[in-house]
Every structure is written in C-alpha cells, then in structure tokens.
Amino acid sequence: MNTRVVLVLRGVIGLALVGSVGVQVLLGFQLWLERGEDRADLRIPLVALLVVGVLALQVIGVEIWRLLTMVRHGTVFSFAAFRHVDRVIAAIGAGAVVVLGLAVLAAYANRTTPGDEIAPGAVGIVCGLALVAGGVALVVYVMRTLLAQAVALDDETKRLQAELDGVI
C-alpha cells in the first residue's frame, strides 16, 4: 500500500479522534446541563446514546489505525488481524444499535409530547439508517471472511514454498 495514503488516512483518523473527544466532552456536557426543557427522561438517554455512539466511532478509528500498522509491517494477512476486524464489526453493530436507540427515543418523544416533536418520517429515516449501519457490519463481516481465506491461502503458499525449497 502506498505510504502516502497510509499517512493521510492516519492524519484523518487522528483528527477525527481528537474531534470526537471534543464532541463527547463539550456536546455531552451541554446536553446534560441544558435546563431550557426539563425532560430528563429524554436528556439522559440522549447523552448516553451520544457518548456510546462516539465511543463506537473511536473504537473503529483505533482499530483501523492498528490494522494500518499491520499493513506497514506486512503482517495484516495473519490471525492477529482478526481481533481488530472483530472489534470493528462489534463497534459498527453497536453504532447501529445506537442509531436505532435514537429512533426509539424520537418515537418516545412524539408519544409523550403534545404534537409531533420529531417528524414521524424522520423517525422512519433514522430506522433506515440503523438498518444500513447493520448492513455495513455484515459487509465488514464478509470482508473478514475474505481475510480468513487470504490468511489460509498465504499459509498454504508458505508451506508449499517450504516443501519446494526442500525438494530443490
């Protein structure tokens, strides 16, 4: 892989991680301390979903960083890469659950507030986004399966090369 691409990707991931910490701290505290509308039944779950959602994105960033390190060292086609990919899949799945939680929270807000606080169509769109995020987790799982096949093929190639070297 091109070294410049890896460096640019690491820069993007680094900036995203720093920004995400700012989002967690500043926006989380702002939502938590907001007194304009005393709806703790909505505010507390919203802050929790925000923190968990950003944490899931941070896990994805850190694990991709680790995978890029393995790419640089030429060890990405090994069984050690699976734990990083598994964590990415779990974090994407958690993100899908967080997005679905936002939809549930919005539907709850509509039920407990006179009138529609959030447009019902928007709730449906957020449910669709949760479905798409779950689909992304499944796509990454398929890619993990392809990685497993590549690792097995790489191991077989090394074994056959060692046998060939022994014959020659």
Side-chain angles (χ1 to χ4, degrees):
M1 183 177 284
N2 190 337
T3 307
R4 290 182 192 168
V5 173
V6 172
L7 287 174
V8 169
L9 186 53
R10 282 184 172 206
V12 169
I13 291 171
L15 287 172
L17 288 173
V18 169
S20 67
V21 170
V23 166
Q24 276 180 316
V25 172
L26 297 176
L27 193 56
F29 282 135
Q30 183 181 3
L31 284 171
W32 182 259
L33 297 174
E34 187 177 277
R35 300 288 183 206
E37 182 182 339
D38 194 29
R39 295 279 317 255
D41 60 329
L42 295 176
R43 191 170 19 113
I44 293 171
L46 181 62
V47 170
L49 288 171
L50 172 77
V51 169
V52 171
V54 173
L55 182 63
L57 292 173
Q58 290 169 337
V59 167
I60 292 168
V62 168
E63 294 305 325
I64 290 176
W65 187 287
R66 290 177 177 168
L67 286 168
L68 286 173
T69 301
M70 293 180 81
V71 166
R72 191 179 67 209
H73 294 288
T75 59
V76 75
F77 291 111
S78 66
F79 291 106
F82 290 140
R83 72 173 183 264
H84 301 300
V85 176
D86 289 341
R87 289 180 190 144
V88 169
I89 293 168
I92 294 171
V97 171
V98 165
V99 173
L100 184 62
L102 288 172
V104 168
L105 189 62
Y108 173 77
N110 282 348
R111 294 266 187 210
T112 59
T113 304
D116 284 337
E117 192 161 303
I118 298 176
V123 174
I125 289 171
V126 173
C127 286
L129 290 173
L131 184 65
V132 168
V136 170
L138 290 174
V139 167
V140 176
Y141 178 76
V142 168
M143 293 173 70
R144 181 199 185 279
T145 305
L146 294 173
L147 176 64
Q149 291 174 353
V151 168
L153 185 61
D154 191 49
D155 286 348
E156 180 69 13
T157 303
K158 288 177 183 174
R159 185 186 65 76
L160 290 173
Q161 184 65 44
E163 283 182 21
L164 186 62
D165 291 343
V167 171
I168 297 176

